[in-house]
Amino acid sequence: MTTENTSAPNFIRTIIEADVAAGKNDGRVGTRFPPEPNGYLHIGHAKSICLNFGLARDFKGTCNLRFDDTNPTKEDVEYVDSIKEDVRWLGFDWGENQFYASNYFERLHELAIRLIKDGKAYVDSLSAEEIRQYRGTLTEPGKNSPYRDRSVEENLDLFERMKNGEFEDGTHVLRAKIDMAANNMVMRDPTLYRIRKAHHHRTGDTWCIYPMYDFTHCLSDAFECITHSICTLEFENNRELYDWVLDQFSDLPGRPRQYEFARLNLSYTVLSKRKLIQLVEEKLVSGWTDPRMPTLSGYRRRGYTAESIRDFCERIGVARADNMVDIALLEHCLREDLNDRAPRVMAVQDPVKVIVDNYPEGEVEWIDFPYHPENEAMGSRQVPFSREFYIERADFMENPPKKYFRLSPGKEVRLRYAYYVTCVDVIKDADGNVTEIHVEYDPKTKGGWSEDGRKVKGTLHWVSAQHAIDAEVRLYDRLFTQENPNDMEEGKTFKDAMNPDSLTVITAKLEPSLKTVEAGSHWQFERLGYYCVDPDSTPEKPVFNRAVGLRDSWAKKVNK
RNA sequence: UGGGGGAUCGUCUAGCGGCAGGACUACGGACUCUGACUCCGUCAACCAAGGUUCGAAUCCUUGUCCCCCAGCCA
């Protein structure tokens, strides 16, 4: 468990405090994070992970990692591996407490037989479609299946034969005998077991019947002595069944209680696993780790830090009301974290060449640049300055508006840590595009200071043309332009809804110190944003992902 | 239309009968060798109507709106 400050209060924490104070479960707290290994973890899972592991940490309890692997047709080891990696990356450790629902198949099967013997479960031989019809509707009660009153012996025999593979998929199910007229639809004789002649990623072909979520989850919690089983709001109706199942057995090792909280919704972000799977399968993104994906592995590759995501989860809180968190908060958390830890380097994304007319040709000065002006411990490196360099195209304007601090004809600006330069000429092509800017430098301003005390308002970032290295830079924009992409009508394809400009690949000019850089390392390109070295990156062809841009009050002003 | 939940600044979230607070956003300003960061400030909310009470976001009543449930998914 990571050691950190205690989290902010929330209603679940309040409940647990009261339970501990009342001596429930001998004051012990046990939680669990129970993903189904049918996809990669996303930021919504991070909320649950931080909640469950955070509670265990703060109450000196345990948090189990349990794979809810009861549906072999959807699950895969690739997912369990990625889930473990992502939870660890986020900064949590389940220690020895790793479990699989599939490890309980034997025990669950025994309990199912006990239910049958107690007359609380029966084998139904209706088709799926018939079961649906018999279930009734929201306003009308259902009716009993004609198979509901089979004898215990017959049920036992049928269930045994289901297990032995004598029947085809869909021909029989085991159902709890509860109440077909219950107002809560979940209680209308829920299915406990179904036949699925499919290979399971852990149990192989040992089983051809698999327990359903409602039967498995509560009992798994009980087996593991979970005290507080925390899930999302859509399982509220299932709580009655959760308790019903546990109440059928008096000899369980634990008696967990289920609590629900509102799942995370993030603006401009799809967080439904079904849709994320679709994006991957339809190859609309490069995969689960595509930096545009809201998966933890996507964010990681994009350049988000575990620290920033934990901070985000802490700040959004935990409540029972539906929510839509502004993506700006996530970005704020990232900037705040990276501001302290990302070394500052120089890069030009949209270069225009500048020539210093009065600077000797062939001369090169290596200037000492601190990696972080506010943190000397981060050290420095040498950056070359020469007669020709690149600046950002947006840092020059031939006819600037008032309050424009950057370069324009006749105007003097500072090249960061280098010299003051004044624009003396502009060369344009036939279309009027600026191709070359000529400046004159003041040799007495070396290092970026003027001895006579004259001040310049603008400071530009620059990269020596002769030393610049070319790097691929991937700029990301939101994958969906709609604030709530979950509202997308069914039938409408993702292609229609996706932002065609969600990925822009450009070639940028970088200072030579960036030639060899570690994959996954974070950098601030001064005045541009925070970038992370992509795993695709090589010294021959560096690749950077822009995690998030810097706030830009000038751009904001100009856009008005 | 049955049942289960929910409603506090634009957004997220505190509050649990006693001054509606914080964060994000937005907007101003100071500072600045990043128009960044930082700092300071401003705008901004109790779903509605009744009731109880000296006092209500909080308790009661009645409405309104939103979410979830009719998988052999989880």
Side-chain angles (χ1 to χ4, degrees), chain A residues 130-376:
Chain A
E130 288 167 323
I131 286 180
R132 193 177 63 76
Q133 284 163 1
Y134 274 72
R135 189 155 24 230
T137 69
L138 296 177
T139 51
E140 304 156 38
K143 55 185 181 188
N144 291 350
S145 163
Y147 301 102
R148 198 173 197 259
D149 295 314
R150 292 217 251 229
S151 68
V152 169
E153 291 66 32
E154 191 184 355
N155 282 323
L156 249 17
D157 174 62
L158 253 14
F159 190 49
E160 174 67 15
R161 290 165 63 192
M162 280 168 65
K163 179 188 172 233
N164 292 342
E166 290 185 33
F167 306 121
E168 293 312 304
D169 286 15
T171 53
H172 306 273
V173 290
L174 183 72
R175 292 230 258 170
K177 191 186 284 190
I178 305 181
D179 179 8
M180 288 307 291
N183 281 322
N184 183 355
M185 300 293 290
V186 171
M187 299 301 277
R188 319 246 260 226
D189 288 12
T191 302
L192 267 21
Y193 269 87
R194 77 289 215 186
I195 302 171
R196 270 273 195 297
K197 292 187 173 168
H199 188 84
H200 186 283
H201 63 100
R202 283 185 63 78
T203 60
D205 299 312
T206 306
W207 296 87
C208 64
I209 55 171
Y210 291 92
M212 300 286 290
Y213 165 86
D214 284 306
F215 188 64
T216 309
H217 203 95
C218 51
L219 289 170
S220 301
D221 285 342
F223 295 159
E224 293 172 20
C225 293
I226 299 302
T227 58
H228 301 263
S229 180
I230 302 164
C231 61
T232 44
L233 244 29
E234 66 268 27
F235 290 99
E236 244 172 327
N237 297 322
N238 300 62
R239 189 174 62 232
E240 190 179 353
L241 179 53
Y242 184 102
D243 289 330
W244 183 91
V245 171
L246 294 181
D247 286 344
Q248 306 313 307
F249 307 104
S250 55
D251 53 352
L252 263 11
R255 176 57 221 238
R257 295 284 164 188
Q258 174 182 309
Y259 300 92
E260 310 89 16
F261 70 98
R263 71 180 323 136
L264 169 70
N265 291 300
L266 239 199
S267 58
Y268 303 102
T269 308
V270 162
L271 288 182
S272 118
K273 220 192 248 183
R274 210 199 95 242
K275 288 179 182 165
L276 294 178
I277 288 170
Q278 204 183 328
L279 283 169
V280 172
E281 285 180 348
E282 293 179 13
K283 301 204 186 311
L284 296 168
V285 293
S286 66
W288 290 98
T289 65
D290 188 304
R292 293 168 295 177
M293 289 286 271
T295 51
L296 296 182
S297 49
Y299 279 122
R300 175 168 64 233
R301 184 168 174 190
R302 169 93 170 249
Y304 277 70
T305 59
E307 170 64 46
S308 68
I309 291 176
R310 274 186 267 136
D311 182 36
F312 171 74
C313 291
E314 202 56 59
R315 292 194 197 211
I316 57 176
V318 178
R320 282 177 70 86
D322 292 338
N323 60 78
M324 174 67 74
V325 177
D326 192 335
I327 189 93
L329 178 58
L330 213 212
E331 293 173 348
H332 168 82
C333 292
L334 208 222
R335 288 193 191 99
E336 191 171 81
D337 184 32
L338 254 22
N339 180 46
D340 291 337
R341 47 204 281 183
R344 274 56 172 162
V345 291
M346 302 243 276
V348 175
Q349 281 185 177
D350 183 13
V352 59
K353 190 174 268 187
V354 181
I355 297 166
V356 189
D357 292 339
N358 60 341
Y359 194 86
E361 268 182 74
E363 186 163 329
V364 178
E365 290 177 83
W366 290 82
I367 303 169
D368 192 56
F369 265 60
Y371 272 123
H372 198 306
E374 287 155 28
N375 182 0
E376 271 186 37

Side-chain angles (χ1 to χ4, degrees), chain A residues 286 289-292 297-304 471-476 503 505 510 514-523 525 530-539 541-547:
Chain A
S286 66
T289 65
D290 188 304
R292 293 168 295 177
S297 49
Y299 279 122
R300 175 168 64 233
R301 184 168 174 190
R302 169 93 170 249
Y304 277 70
E472 177 175 323
V473 169
R474 299 173 183 166
L475 306 173
Y476 302 98
L503 170 62
V505 179
L510 266 45
L514 261 7
K515 182 78 178 168
T516 340
V517 100
E518 195 186 336
S521 57
H522 298 90
W523 304 87
F525 289 178
Y530 293 103
Y531 295 71
C532 182
V533 180
D534 192 86
D536 289 349
S537 192
T538 64
K541 189 194 174 201
V543 180
F544 288 78
N545 294 313
R546 181 169 66 184

Side-chain angles (χ1 to χ4, degrees), chain A residues 52-96:
Chain A
N52 280 295
F53 279 94
L55 253 12
R57 173 194 66 216
D58 297 340
F59 288 97
K60 311 230 180 310
T62 51
C63 180
N64 299 353
L65 173 63
R66 181 171 72 231
F67 293 96
D68 228 337
D69 55 350
T70 58
N71 186 353
T73 58
K74 292 188 174 179
E75 299 153 7
D76 196 276
V77 284
E78 176 197 351
Y79 300 130
V80 344
D81 292 342
S82 74
I83 288 168
K84 289 195 274 190
E85 184 186 353
D86 289 344
V87 173
R88 268 193 226 106
W89 174 74
L90 237 202
F92 297 100
D93 180 10
W94 54 91
E96 301 294 298

Side-chain angles (χ1 to χ4, degrees), chain A residues 13-27:
Chain A
R13 196 165 283 272
T14 305
I15 289 168
I16 295 181
E17 275 165 8
D19 287 350
V20 170
K24 285 189 189 170
N25 309 298
D26 300 320

Side-chain angles (χ1 to χ4, degrees), chain A residues 344 346 369 373 414-419 459-462 526:
Chain A
R344 274 56 172 162
M346 302 243 276
F369 265 60
R414 169 168 43 227
L415 297 175
R416 190 154 163 103
Y417 293 124
Y419 290 102
T459 300
L460 307 188
H461 56 282
W462 51 273
E526 290 199 51

